[in-house]
């Protein structure tokens, strides 16, 4: 069976299903629905991640002005936000 790339969020959900919900995972495979199921997670959570990152950046003043003043700080702050978003969404995906 050829493996399809379904993005970070889809892969995260797939790993969760394999480990904690094997009946559902196998059922999705048998029905030929796994790829679409995972793509749905990827689409939904990509949008949520972008929105959360934008909101957190705005709340914390991570903007073009900061970039002009201290680009290294801007990069570090964006990386922190990305990790925070990933952790929050991973909790939801792995339920």
């Amino acid at each position: 069976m050829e493996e399809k790339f379904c993005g970070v969020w889809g892969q995260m959900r797939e790993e969760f299903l394999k480990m904690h919900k094997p009946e559902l995972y196998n059922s999705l495979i048998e029905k030929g629905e796994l790829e679409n199921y995972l793509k749905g997670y990827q689409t939904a959570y990509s949008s949520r991640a972008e929105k959360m990152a934008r909101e957190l950046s705005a709340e914390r003043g991570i903007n073009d002005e900061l970039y002009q003043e201290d680009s290294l700080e801007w990069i570090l702050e964006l990386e922190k936000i990305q990790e925070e978003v990933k952790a929050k969404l991973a909790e939801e995906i792995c339920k």
Side-chain angles (χ1 to χ4, degrees):
M1 175 197 259
E2 183 180 328
E3 201 167 315
K4 304 287 184 194
F5 179 73
C6 54
V8 66
W9 308 112
Q11 287 178 339
M12 196 178 289
R13 182 62 179 179
E14 182 175 23
E15 288 304 312
F16 171 77
L17 292 176
K18 284 180 185 177
M19 301 271 305
H20 302 285
K21 305 254 185 206
E23 301 85 17
L24 175 57
Y25 181 74
N26 290 327
S27 174
L28 289 167
I29 289 173
E30 290 171 8
K31 294 176 185 176
E33 297 174 355
L34 180 64
E35 187 176 341
N36 285 337
Y37 177 87
L38 297 175
K39 283 181 180 179
Y41 266 84
Q42 180 62 29
T43 300
Y45 279 86
S46 289
S47 296
R48 291 201 53 217
E50 289 175 22
K51 182 179 178 192
M52 287 175 70
R54 280 193 310 269
E55 290 171 353
L56 290 171
S57 293
E59 287 173 14
R60 298 175 186 177
I62 313 305
N63 53 30
D64 291 339
E65 187 177 308
L66 176 60
Y67 179 79
Q68 296 299 322
E69 293 172 8
D70 189 345
S71 59
L72 181 58
E73 182 66 20
W74 181 82
I75 291 168
L76 293 172
E77 290 301 319
L78 285 180
E79 287 175 353
K80 287 180 196 175
I81 287 171
Q82 292 299 325
E83 288 301 314
E84 186 177 331
V85 167
K86 186 176 181 179
K88 285 181 182 180
L89 294 181
E91 288 179 21
E92 291 180 25
I93 289 174
C94 297
K95 286 186 180 180

